[in-house]
Amino acid sequence: MKRGCLLVVGVLAGAFAAWAVLLFTRAPGVDSVEVLVLSGLAALMTAGTFLALRRAFGLGADEAAIRRALRGEPLEDGRRGAALGELRPCEPDEALAAPFSGKPALAYEYEVHRQEEWFSEERGTGGATRQVRQQRRAVALAGHARLPCEVRTVHGGVRVVTRPVLDLAATDVDGEEARERARRFVEETTFETVAPERLVAELKESLGDFTSADAPRRRDTRREEAVADLAGWTLSEKVVSPGQQVCVVGDYSVAAGGLAGRSASWAPVHLRIGEPGSSVEEVRGSRGCLLVAAGVLVLLQLLLLVRVLTAGGG
């Protein structure tokens, strides 16, 4: 993961330097501050293009892995692979309870969140002030948990070694029973408080959970002040239950005994619920969206480049 972050930072810094040199030399009449701002925006587009193409390449490898599994080909050590079948606990009859719905689960993620809105004053041209509406998504509590589990494939059980990315939509849970269950869950759970100054470190830790077999199987964090009353807060969760048909994609390791995430370029395990065919379509659709996004970013950079060269030539 560290190497991947350094690579992105390197691309961003290199792109910023290249655009700054180009703008300073080809558009000498432009204000220095404006050049730096334009260079920053262009560098962000360049880095965005790089990340989109990189992720699209990764999804291409995932699609190929799913297609090999559909053909019945066995997993290969050290190669991206897919396990298709029912998800079952490694220990018979073992299951968690989802915190809000109470559903039996082998893995779950949850959030207690709400949309907050307020108005602030902004001073415009001429000294006039105006009210500007501000919004943010506030997350009070968040967490995840999982049990050791395996996918029952035609070739036998394949363990899910590291925490998977749950590629499924979160469900909002409501109702008196769910609220009471959530209240008990909050009362009985010891939460780790994440201070605002630790958000970056928390993100790094969280990303590391997806690629380390030694990462804790459960984490519960508190990001806002104590939630005395859950009224007005939305309860959301993702739940993967025992016996569901899944498609799990990751790096297969004989030594680890299953599918694991790769930390070097941050390629985590992905878990999707449903028939394998739908997983292929989902991956292909996501890859297409990323390629379109990369194309748009390239076009914008080309337009900026043409504008700069034309201005310089004039």
Side-chain angles (χ1 to χ4, degrees):
M1 186 180 70
K2 184 181 289 186
R3 191 172 74 181
C5 291
L6 289 174
L7 182 60
V8 173
V9 171
V11 169
L12 191 60
F16 179 82
W19 279 105
V21 169
L22 178 67
L23 289 169
F24 272 121
T25 55
R26 301 295 297 185
V30 180
D31 181 70
S32 297
V33 175
E34 190 177 344
V35 166
L36 292 175
V37 171
L38 284 173
S39 299
L41 291 173
L44 286 174
M45 288 192 287
T46 303
T49 305
F50 169 76
L51 289 173
L53 291 175
R54 189 182 184 202
R55 180 61 186 139
F57 178 79
L59 286 174
D62 285 3
E63 183 182 346
I66 298 171
R67 292 192 181 280
R68 288 196 300 272
L70 286 169
R71 291 194 297 267
E73 297 180 20
L75 294 166
E76 298 178 33
D77 187 34
R79 190 180 186 187
R80 200 72 173 166
L84 314 176
E86 285 189 1
L87 191 68
R88 293 291 180 183
C90 292
E91 294 295 327
D93 302 323
E94 193 177 16
L96 301 166
F100 307 144
S101 65
K103 292 178 181 177
L106 292 178
Y108 67 71
E109 296 176 359
Y110 70 88
E111 274 190 348
V112 176
H113 62 92
R114 69 183 177 191
Q115 196 71 18
E116 293 184 347
E117 184 178 299
W118 70 97
F119 288 87
S120 62
E121 276 194 357
E122 264 191 20
R123 189 174 296 278
T125 55
T129 60
R130 59 176 183 146
Q131 294 288 317
V132 179
R133 187 173 68 174
Q134 308 282 352
Q135 288 184 321
R136 73 159 186 154
R137 186 177 184 272
V139 177
L141 307 171
H144 67 85
R146 64 186 179 91
L147 287 175
C149 54
E150 63 179 18
V151 184
R152 303 284 173 82
T153 74
V154 292
H155 299 289
V158 177
R159 288 186 60 233
V160 182
V161 179
T162 55
R163 178 189 172 191
V165 174
L166 303 184
D167 284 332
L168 55 144
T171 302
D172 291 345
V173 184
D174 206 359
E176 190 175 328
E177 187 178 341
R179 294 272 165 184
E180 177 59 26
R181 187 180 292 110
R183 186 188 62 77
R184 290 198 306 269
F185 176 80
V186 172
E187 286 180 353
E188 296 167 3
T189 301
T190 301
F191 290 92
E192 173 191 345
T193 301
V194 180
E197 60 270 18
R198 283 205 69 248
L199 285 178
V200 175
E202 167 65 17
L203 177 61
K204 185 177 178 181
E205 238 177 89
S206 181
L207 291 175
D209 285 351
F210 290 100
T211 56
S212 172
D214 299 323
R217 288 199 170 91
R218 175 174 177 177
R219 289 192 72 197
D220 301 283
T221 59
R222 185 190 303 278
R223 305 180 193 179
E224 296 283 331
E225 292 300 318
V227 182
D229 186 1
L230 293 174
W233 292 87
T234 301
L235 311 176
S236 298
E237 61 182 22
K238 295 181 179 182
V239 180
V240 183
S241 298
Q244 285 190 299
Q245 287 287 329
V246 298
C247 171
V248 181
V249 182
D251 287 10
Y252 182 64
S253 167
V254 173
L259 295 169
R262 182 172 66 249
S263 60
S265 54
W266 202 74
V269 172
H270 285 264
L271 186 152
R272 299 175 178 86
I273 295 174
E275 296 301 318
S278 64
S279 294
V280 171
E281 293 303 320
E282 186 182 333
V283 170
R284 184 188 296 162
S286 298
R287 186 164 178 256
C289 289
L290 285 167
L291 290 174
V292 169
V296 170
L297 289 172
V298 168
L299 180 60
L300 290 173
Q301 290 170 84
L302 286 174
L303 290 173
L304 177 60
L305 183 61
V306 169
R307 181 69 181 271
V308 170
L309 294 177
T310 304

